[in-house]
Amino acid sequence: MTYRPSRRLRKLVVGGAAVSLLAGMNAPAVFSYTQAKYHDYKINQPEYKAAYGHWDLLDVPERFRINSIHAALLHTGKVLLIAGSGNDEKNFKAKTFQSVLWDPANNTFKEIDTPKDMFCAGHVQLPDGNLLVAGGTARYEKLKGDVTRAGGEMIVKNEDPDRPRAFPQGTVFVNNENGKRFHADFPVNVPRARKTVDARTGRVTVTASSARVFVESEVKGEPGIVNTAAQYGIQGLTGKDRDNLYGLATKLGMDKKDFQGIKEAYEFDPVAERYITVDPMNEARWYPTLVTLADGHVLAVSGLDDIGQVVPGKNEIFDPRTRKWTYTATRYFPTYPALFLTRGGDIFYSGANAGYGPAGQGRVPGIWNLSTNTFRPVPGISDAKDLETAGSVLLAPAQDQKVMVLGGGGVGESKSSTRRTAIVDLTAAHPAYTAGPDLPEPTRYINSVLLPDDTVLTTGGSRDYRGRGASDILKAQIYDPVSNAFTPAADPAVGRDYHSEALLLPDGRVAVFGSNPLYGDKDDTTAGFFEQRIEIYTPPYLYRDSKPALSGGPSQVERGGSVTFRTEHAATIRAARLMRPSAVTHATDVEQRSIALDIRKSADGAITFTVPKDPSLVPSGWYMLVVTDDEGTPSEAVWIDVP
């Protein structure tokens, strides 16, 4: 007898087969979903957090989500995020410039009125706790195919020794030979000519003064091009003025126009929570580096100028007392060079930089003495061609005078990148780089943050230029200078490449901002978007059962002086650090430093800290005082002023 299944059983079998078929077809998706759920479960386990830390996305109200190009921790504990126009030319043309103040303690936000386009400015902490912001954007770049009008540099001459002249934006210059007309894109001030009298003969010599301004043709297209050097009259001048004042240009064409910088400078007052205008720089700068000097003055170097060229070595110093700028030693650097104040007052250039300048100029690492304007090259770094977009950090404690360089890539849009790290001991008789441990993979734009336990969190970056080919690296690791090795950290959820920043918060966490990938897909066929999410990393040391705390101390200490605090954890406290707050952009942070303090403990629970006397080791300003216990667990920071 032949068995025939019932109709109901046939339905079950057919249905089961269909389910099995669908399950087979969807196995990768089911597996991926299951894997993701398991990963989410695993990273939220206490044991995992204690070993690797944990990342959380910050809840930011929509109105406060900006294209964070710059981030600075202020002595109020708040973080200033600066977008300016945010690498968005529409914002630039609309004069929509943004800054947001974030309070990590309460997770509150405040919009800050932003007077100029601070996109790609430089910034530094001042002795009084204000943040100096200098430079920014005067004009967005135009690629050759997008240039619609001939233009370029016009040198404006003044042969009148009796008075300077000011010409407004829109001033018209007319070619004396062919009548072609160009207008000034910006105002220009021309000093009076210099007059000298020979004491012996009485002969008077007048030397014309000059200033320069970017000009554009009044007509579109090739008819506006001038390929030969020519003199230009200034429309509206008559009589002697017409002879004394004129323009000179060598070529006004339709080639690529680079970004152009501004001279404006501001201080941000963390207490009043507003920008204050200070004297402008002598040179316009876009992508400059600002670095604190031992005397509290600020050095400004490099950047693209008001014509879109790298500033040709004209460096200047800001005096916080007079709020004025003066020229200093001449030396050429590519834009955003990583410069560190060293013990003794010299400046160390790690070789890392972020963007513009020829491959063969100003890229050799070395020690720069400003007083003598001498530069001592530091040899030994491997993959020297891959120092653009590299990270740099003055390792803790600062007394060791060791600087680490991490990753980097080739000049411009090169696809080259490296996993190399290298370390230099600046106290050596003949400083030279030696190899450090490799990064997990070749990385550009890596952010490196000093932690209170002397380790360094390194996170993010991409393998290719601006994350091309979906090459963002969703990895983080922690470098230990004692073992000279990396250990894995929890993986961030958000990719970070160009225009990203990371900094230490007073509670020991790390906040990461920004990212500006060129494309939005692996095939590089869709435009990228600016990453406005903020991600917070909680290191493993914050998942321990207890941590030390300080109370009852003063808010100011002189260099070479001591301060006493109360603590219930005196017996377990192992180390104390003064940590200078960050001011970071383009993964470049030359402000952060961690300074070891001498410790003296008392039986009554008092603990006294002594600050080094050397101003080149401890520049004036506000610092976070942090202690760590014998497990490396840090206290919450106490803000203290070192005048």
Side-chain angles (χ1 to χ4, degrees), residues 364-415:
V364 175
I367 300 168
W368 181 26
N369 184 306
L370 279 172
S371 300
T372 61
N373 197 20
T374 53
F375 188 85
R376 182 158 50 116
V378 169
I381 197 163
S382 62
D383 292 345
K385 70 181 189 331
D386 289 330
L387 280 169
E388 193 164 287
T389 66
S392 291
V393 61
L394 175 64
L395 295 172
Q399 282 92 334
D400 288 353
Q401 293 288 281
K402 292 182 178 179
V403 174
M404 185 177 197
V405 170
L406 305 98
V411 174
E413 297 188 21
S414 166
K415 295 183 71 65

CSV table of all heavy atoms in Angstrom, one decimal, residues 364-415:
chain,number,residue,atom,x,y,z
A,364,VAL,N,61.3,69.2,6.4
A,364,VAL,CA,62.3,68.4,7.2
A,364,VAL,C,62.1,68.7,8.6
A,364,VAL,O,62.1,69.9,9.1
A,364,VAL,CB,63.7,68.8,6.7
A,364,VAL,CG1,64.7,68.1,7.6
A,364,VAL,CG2,64.0,68.4,5.3
A,365,PRO,N,61.9,67.7,9.5
A,365,PRO,CA,61.8,67.9,10.9
A,365,PRO,C,63.0,68.6,11.5
A,365,PRO,O,64.1,68.4,11.0
A,365,PRO,CB,61.6,66.5,11.5
A,365,PRO,CG,61.2,65.7,10.4
A,365,PRO,CD,61.8,66.3,9.1
A,366,GLY,N,62.8,69.4,12.6
A,366,GLY,CA,64.0,70.0,13.2
A,366,GLY,C,63.7,70.9,14.3
A,366,GLY,O,62.5,71.1,14.7
A,367,ILE,N,64.8,71.4,15.0
A,367,ILE,CA,64.7,72.3,16.1
A,367,ILE,C,65.0,73.7,15.7
A,367,ILE,O,66.1,73.9,15.2
A,367,ILE,CB,65.6,71.8,17.2
A,367,ILE,CG1,65.2,70.3,17.6
A,367,ILE,CG2,65.5,72.7,18.4
A,367,ILE,CD1,66.3,69.7,18.5
A,368,TRP,N,64.1,74.6,16.0
A,368,TRP,CA,64.2,76.0,15.5
A,368,TRP,C,64.5,76.9,16.7
A,368,TRP,O,63.7,77.0,17.6
A,368,TRP,CB,62.9,76.4,14.8
A,368,TRP,CG,62.9,77.7,14.2
A,368,TRP,CD1,63.9,78.5,13.8
A,368,TRP,CD2,61.7,78.5,13.9
A,368,TRP,NE1,63.4,79.7,13.2
A,368,TRP,CE2,62.1,79.7,13.3
A,368,TRP,CE3,60.3,78.2,14.1
A,368,TRP,CZ2,61.1,80.7,12.9
A,368,TRP,CZ3,59.4,79.1,13.7
A,368,TRP,CH2,59.8,80.3,13.1
A,369,ASN,N,65.6,77.6,16.6
A,369,ASN,CA,65.9,78.7,17.6
A,369,ASN,C,65.4,80.0,17.1
A,369,ASN,O,66.0,80.5,16.1
A,369,ASN,CB,67.4,78.7,18.0
A,369,ASN,CG,67.7,79.7,19.1
A,369,ASN,OD1,67.4,80.8,19.0
A,369,ASN,ND2,68.4,79.2,20.1
A,370,LEU,N,64.4,80.6,17.7
A,370,LEU,CA,63.9,81.8,17.1
A,370,LEU,C,64.8,83.0,17.3
A,370,LEU,O,64.9,83.9,16.5
A,370,LEU,CB,62.5,82.2,17.9
A,370,LEU,CG,61.3,81.5,17.4
A,370,LEU,CD1,60.1,81.8,18.3
A,370,LEU,CD2,60.9,81.9,16.0
A,371,SER,N,65.6,83.0,18.4
A,371,SER,CA,66.5,84.1,18.7
A,371,SER,C,67.6,84.2,17.6
A,371,SER,O,67.9,85.3,17.2
A,371,SER,CB,67.1,84.0,20.1
A,371,SER,OG,66.1,83.9,21.1
A,372,THR,N,68.1,83.1,17.2
A,372,THR,CA,69.2,83.1,16.2
A,372,THR,C,68.7,82.8,14.9
A,372,THR,O,69.5,82.9,13.9
A,372,THR,CB,70.3,82.1,16.7
A,372,THR,OG1,69.7,80.8,16.7
A,372,THR,CG2,70.9,82.5,18.0
A,373,ASN,N,67.5,82.4,14.8
A,373,ASN,CA,66.9,81.9,13.5
A,373,ASN,C,67.7,80.8,12.9
A,373,ASN,O,68.0,80.8,11.7
A,373,ASN,CB,66.7,83.0,12.5
A,373,ASN,CG,65.7,82.6,11.4
A,373,ASN,OD1,64.9,81.7,11.6
A,373,ASN,ND2,65.7,83.3,10.3
A,374,THR,N,68.2,79.9,13.7
A,374,THR,CA,68.9,78.7,13.2
A,374,THR,C,68.0,77.5,13.3
A,374,THR,O,67.1,77.4,14.2
A,374,THR,CB,70.2,78.5,14.0
A,374,THR,OG1,69.9,78.4,15.4
A,374,THR,CG2,71.2,79.6,13.7
A,375,PHE,N,68.2,76.5,12.4
A,375,PHE,CA,67.3,75.4,12.4
A,375,PHE,C,68.2,74.1,12.3
A,375,PHE,O,69.0,74.0,11.3
A,375,PHE,CB,66.4,75.4,11.1
A,375,PHE,CG,65.3,74.4,11.1
A,375,PHE,CD1,64.1,74.6,11.7
A,375,PHE,CD2,65.6,73.2,10.3
A,375,PHE,CE1,63.1,73.6,11.6
A,375,PHE,CE2,64.6,72.3,10.2
A,375,PHE,CZ,63.4,72.4,10.9
A,376,ARG,N,68.1,73.2,13.3
A,376,ARG,CA,68.9,72.0,13.3
A,376,ARG,C,68.0,70.8,12.9
A,376,ARG,O,67.1,70.4,13.6
A,376,ARG,CB,69.4,71.8,14.7
A,376,ARG,CG,70.3,70.6,14.9
A,376,ARG,CD,71.2,70.8,16.1
A,376,ARG,NE,70.5,71.2,17.3
A,376,ARG,CZ,70.4,70.4,18.4
A,376,ARG,NH1,71.0,69.2,18.4
A,376,ARG,NH2,69.7,70.8,19.4
A,377,PRO,N,68.2,70.2,11.7
A,377,PRO,CA,67.4,69.1,11.3
A,377,PRO,C,67.5,67.9,12.2
A,377,PRO,O,68.5,67.7,12.8
A,377,PRO,CB,68.0,68.8,9.9
A,377,PRO,CG,68.6,70.0,9.4
A,377,PRO,CD,69.2,70.7,10.7
A,378,VAL,N,66.4,67.2,12.3
A,378,VAL,CA,66.3,66.0,13.1
A,378,VAL,C,66.1,64.8,12.2
A,378,VAL,O,65.1,64.7,11.5
A,378,VAL,CB,65.2,66.0,14.2
A,378,VAL,CG1,65.0,64.7,14.8
A,378,VAL,CG2,65.6,67.1,15.3
A,379,PRO,N,67.1,64.0,12.0
A,379,PRO,CA,67.0,62.9,11.0
A,379,PRO,C,66.3,61.6,11.6
A,379,PRO,O,65.9,61.6,12.7
A,379,PRO,CB,68.5,62.6,10.8
A,379,PRO,CG,69.2,62.8,12.1
A,379,PRO,CD,68.4,64.0,12.7
A,380,GLY,N,66.3,60.6,10.8
A,380,GLY,CA,65.9,59.3,11.2
A,380,GLY,C,64.5,58.8,11.0
A,380,GLY,O,64.2,57.6,11.2
A,381,ILE,N,63.6,59.7,10.5
A,381,ILE,CA,62.2,59.2,10.4
A,381,ILE,C,62.1,58.4,9.1
A,381,ILE,O,62.6,58.8,8.0
A,381,ILE,CB,61.2,60.4,10.4
A,381,ILE,CG1,59.8,59.9,10.7
A,381,ILE,CG2,61.3,61.3,9.2
A,381,ILE,CD1,58.9,61.0,11.1
A,382,SER,N,61.4,57.3,9.1
A,382,SER,CA,61.1,56.5,8.0
A,382,SER,C,59.8,57.1,7.3
A,382,SER,O,59.1,57.8,7.9
A,382,SER,CB,60.9,55.1,8.3
A,382,SER,OG,59.8,54.9,9.2
A,383,ASP,N,59.6,56.7,6.0
A,383,ASP,CA,58.5,57.2,5.3
A,383,ASP,C,58.3,58.7,5.4
A,383,ASP,O,57.3,59.2,5.6
A,383,ASP,CB,57.2,56.5,5.8
A,383,ASP,CG,57.1,55.0,5.5
A,383,ASP,OD1,57.9,54.6,4.7
A,383,ASP,OD2,56.3,54.3,6.1
A,384,ALA,N,59.5,59.4,5.2
A,384,ALA,CA,59.5,60.8,5.3
A,384,ALA,C,58.6,61.5,4.3
A,384,ALA,O,58.1,62.6,4.6
A,384,ALA,CB,60.9,61.3,5.1
A,385,LYS,N,58.3,60.8,3.2
A,385,LYS,CA,57.4,61.4,2.2
A,385,LYS,C,55.9,61.4,2.7
A,385,LYS,O,55.0,62.1,2.1
A,385,LYS,CB,57.5,60.7,0.9
A,385,LYS,CG,56.9,59.3,0.9
A,385,LYS,CD,57.1,58.5,-0.4
A,385,LYS,CE,56.3,57.2,-0.5
A,385,LYS,NZ,56.1,56.5,0.8
A,386,ASP,N,55.6,60.7,3.8
A,386,ASP,CA,54.3,60.5,4.3
A,386,ASP,C,54.1,61.2,5.6
A,386,ASP,O,53.6,60.6,6.6
A,386,ASP,CB,53.9,59.0,4.4
A,386,ASP,CG,53.8,58.3,3.1
A,386,ASP,OD1,53.4,59.0,2.1
A,386,ASP,OD2,54.1,57.1,3.0
A,387,LEU,N,54.4,62.5,5.7
A,387,LEU,CA,54.2,63.2,6.9
A,387,LEU,C,53.1,64.2,6.9
A,387,LEU,O,52.7,64.8,7.9
A,387,LEU,CB,55.5,64.0,7.3
A,387,LEU,CG,56.6,63.1,8.0
A,387,LEU,CD1,57.9,63.9,8.0
A,387,LEU,CD2,56.2,62.7,9.4
A,388,GLU,N,52.5,64.4,5.7
A,388,GLU,CA,51.3,65.3,5.6
A,388,GLU,C,50.1,64.5,6.2
A,388,GLU,O,50.0,63.3,6.0
A,388,GLU,CB,51.0,65.6,4.1
A,388,GLU,CG,50.0,66.7,4.0
A,388,GLU,CD,50.0,67.4,2.6
A,388,GLU,OE1,51.0,68.1,2.3
A,388,GLU,OE2,49.1,67.1,1.8
A,389,THR,N,49.3,65.2,6.9
A,389,THR,CA,48.1,64.7,7.6
A,389,THR,C,48.5,63.6,8.7
A,389,THR,O,47.7,62.8,9.1
A,389,THR,CB,47.1,64.0,6.7
A,389,THR,OG1,47.6,62.9,6.0
A,389,THR,CG2,46.7,65.0,5.6
A,390,ALA,N,49.8,63.7,9.2
A,390,ALA,CA,50.2,62.8,10.3
A,390,ALA,C,49.8,63.4,11.6
A,390,ALA,O,49.5,64.6,11.7
A,390,ALA,CB,51.8,62.7,10.2
A,391,GLY,N,49.7,62.6,12.6
A,391,GLY,CA,49.5,63.1,14.0
A,391,GLY,C,50.8,63.3,14.7
A,391,GLY,O,51.8,62.7,14.4
A,392,SER,N,50.8,64.2,15.7
A,392,SER,CA,52.0,64.4,16.5
A,392,SER,C,51.5,64.7,17.9
A,392,SER,O,50.5,65.3,18.2
A,392,SER,CB,52.7,65.7,16.0
A,392,SER,OG,53.4,65.5,14.8
A,393,VAL,N,52.3,64.3,18.9
A,393,VAL,CA,52.0,64.5,20.3
A,393,VAL,C,53.3,64.6,21.1
A,393,VAL,O,54.2,63.8,20.9
A,393,VAL,CB,51.0,63.4,20.8
A,393,VAL,CG1,51.7,62.0,20.7
A,393,VAL,CG2,50.6,63.7,22.2
A,394,LEU,N,53.3,65.5,22.1
A,394,LEU,CA,54.4,65.6,23.1
A,394,LEU,C,54.0,64.6,24.2
A,394,LEU,O,53.1,64.8,24.9
A,394,LEU,CB,54.5,67.0,23.6
A,394,LEU,CG,55.5,67.2,24.8
A,394,LEU,CD1,56.9,67.0,24.3
A,394,LEU,CD2,55.4,68.6,25.3
A,395,LEU,N,54.7,63.5,24.2
A,395,LEU,CA,54.4,62.4,25.2
A,395,LEU,C,54.5,62.9,26.6
A,395,LEU,O,55.2,63.8,26.9
A,395,LEU,CB,55.2,61.2,24.9
A,395,LEU,CG,55.1,60.5,23.6
A,395,LEU,CD1,56.1,59.4,23.4
A,395,LEU,CD2,53.7,59.9,23.4
A,396,ALA,N,53.7,62.2,27.5
A,396,ALA,CA,53.7,62.5,28.9
A,396,ALA,C,54.8,61.6,29.6
A,396,ALA,O,55.0,60.5,29.2
A,396,ALA,CB,52.4,62.3,29.5
A,397,PRO,N,55.4,62.2,30.7
A,397,PRO,CA,55.3,63.6,31.1
A,397,PRO,C,56.1,64.5,30.2
A,397,PRO,O,57.1,64.0,29.6
A,397,PRO,CB,55.8,63.6,32.5
A,397,PRO,CG,56.8,62.4,32.5
A,397,PRO,CD,56.2,61.4,31.6
A,398,ALA,N,55.8,65.8,30.1
A,398,ALA,CA,56.5,66.7,29.3
A,398,ALA,C,58.0,66.8,29.6
A,398,ALA,O,58.8,67.1,28.8
A,398,ALA,CB,55.8,68.1,29.3
A,399,GLN,N,58.3,66.5,30.9
A,399,GLN,CA,59.7,66.6,31.3
A,399,GLN,C,60.6,65.6,30.5
A,399,GLN,O,61.8,65.9,30.3
A,399,GLN,CB,59.9,66.2,32.8
A,399,GLN,CG,59.5,67.3,33.7
A,399,GLN,CD,58.0,67.3,34.1
A,399,GLN,OE1,57.2,66.7,33.4
A,399,GLN,NE2,57.7,67.8,35.3
A,400,ASP,N,60.0,64.5,29.9
A,400,ASP,CA,60.8,63.6,29.1
A,400,ASP,C,61.2,64.1,27.8
A,400,ASP,O,62.1,63.6,27.1
A,400,ASP,CB,60.1,62.3,29.0
A,400,ASP,CG,60.0,61.5,30.3
A,400,ASP,OD1,60.6,61.9,31.3
A,400,ASP,OD2,59.3,60.5,30.3
A,401,GLN,N,60.4,65.1,27.3
A,401,GLN,CA,60.7,65.8,26.0
A,401,GLN,C,60.8,64.8,24.9
A,401,GLN,O,61.7,64.8,24.0
A,401,GLN,CB,62.1,66.6,26.1
A,401,GLN,CG,62.0,67.8,27.1
A,401,GLN,CD,61.1,68.9,26.5
A,401,GLN,OE1,61.6,69.7,25.6
A,401,GLN,NE2,59.9,69.0,27.0
A,402,LYS,N,59.8,63.9,24.8
A,402,LYS,CA,59.7,63.0,23.7
A,402,LYS,C,58.5,63.3,22.9
A,402,LYS,O,57.4,63.5,23.4
A,402,LYS,CB,59.6,61.6,24.2
A,402,LYS,CG,60.9,61.1,24.9
A,402,LYS,CD,60.8,59.6,25.3
A,402,LYS,CE,62.1,59.2,25.9
A,402,LYS,NZ,62.1,57.8,26.4
A,403,VAL,N,58.7,63.4,21.6
A,403,VAL,CA,57.6,63.7,20.6
A,403,VAL,C,57.4,62.5,19.7
A,403,VAL,O,58.3,61.9,19.2
A,403,VAL,CB,57.9,64.9,19.8
A,403,VAL,CG1,56.8,65.1,18.7
A,403,VAL,CG2,57.9,66.2,20.7
A,404,MET,N,56.1,62.1,19.5
A,404,MET,CA,55.8,61.0,18.7
A,404,MET,C,55.0,61.4,17.5
A,404,MET,O,54.1,62.3,17.6
A,404,MET,CB,54.9,60.0,19.5
A,404,MET,CG,54.5,58.7,18.8
A,404,MET,SD,53.5,57.6,19.9
A,404,MET,CE,53.7,56.0,19.1
A,405,VAL,N,55.3,60.9,16.3
A,405,VAL,CA,54.6,61.1,15.1
A,405,VAL,C,53.9,59.8,14.7
A,405,VAL,O,54.5,58.7,14.8
A,405,VAL,CB,55.6,61.6,14.0
A,405,VAL,CG1,54.9,61.6,12.6
A,405,VAL,CG2,56.2,62.9,14.3
A,406,LEU,N,52.7,60.0,14.2
A,406,LEU,CA,51.9,58.8,14.0
A,406,LEU,C,51.3,58.9,12.6
A,406,LEU,O,50.5,59.8,12.2
A,406,LEU,CB,50.8,58.6,15.0
A,406,LEU,CG,51.2,58.6,16.5
A,406,LEU,CD1,51.0,60.0,17.1
A,406,LEU,CD2,50.3,57.6,17.2
A,407,GLY,N,51.5,57.9,11.7
A,407,GLY,CA,50.9,57.8,10.4
A,407,GLY,C,51.2,58.9,9.5
A,407,GLY,O,52.2,59.6,9.6
A,408,GLY,N,50.2,59.2,8.6
A,408,GLY,CA,50.4,60.3,7.7
A,408,GLY,C,50.3,59.8,6.3
A,408,GLY,O,50.2,58.6,6.0
A,409,GLY,N,50.4,60.7,5.3
A,409,GLY,CA,50.2,60.4,3.9
A,409,GLY,C,51.1,61.3,3.0
A,409,GLY,O,51.8,62.1,3.5
A,410,GLY,N,51.0,61.0,1.7
A,410,GLY,CA,51.8,61.8,0.8
A,410,GLY,C,51.2,63.2,0.6
A,410,GLY,O,50.1,63.5,1.0
A,411,VAL,N,51.9,64.0,-0.1
A,411,VAL,CA,51.6,65.4,-0.3
A,411,VAL,C,50.3,65.5,-1.2
A,411,VAL,O,50.1,64.8,-2.2
A,411,VAL,CB,52.7,66.2,-1.0
A,411,VAL,CG1,52.3,67.6,-1.3
A,411,VAL,CG2,53.9,66.2,0.0
A,412,GLY,N,49.4,66.4,-0.8
A,412,GLY,CA,48.2,66.7,-1.6
A,412,GLY,C,47.3,65.5,-1.6
A,412,GLY,O,47.0,64.9,-0.6
A,413,GLU,N,46.8,65.1,-2.8
A,413,GLU,CA,45.8,64.0,-2.9
A,413,GLU,C,46.4,62.7,-3.1
A,413,GLU,O,45.8,61.7,-3.6
A,413,GLU,CB,44.8,64.4,-4.0
A,413,GLU,CG,44.0,65.6,-3.7
A,413,GLU,CD,42.9,65.9,-4.8
A,413,GLU,OE1,42.5,64.9,-5.4
A,413,GLU,OE2,42.4,67.0,-4.9
A,414,SER,N,47.7,62.5,-2.8
A,414,SER,CA,48.3,61.3,-2.9
A,414,SER,C,47.6,60.1,-2.2
A,414,SER,O,47.0,60.3,-1.2
A,414,SER,CB,49.7,61.4,-2.3
A,414,SER,OG,50.3,60.1,-2.1
A,415,LYS,N,47.6,58.9,-2.8
A,415,LYS,CA,47.0,57.8,-2.2
A,415,LYS,C,47.9,57.1,-1.1
A,415,LYS,O,47.5,56.2,-0.4
A,415,LYS,CB,46.6,56.7,-3.3
A,415,LYS,CG,45.6,57.2,-4.2
A,415,LYS,CD,45.2,56.1,-5.2
A,415,LYS,CE,44.4,55.0,-4.6
A,415,LYS,NZ,43.1,55.4,-4.0
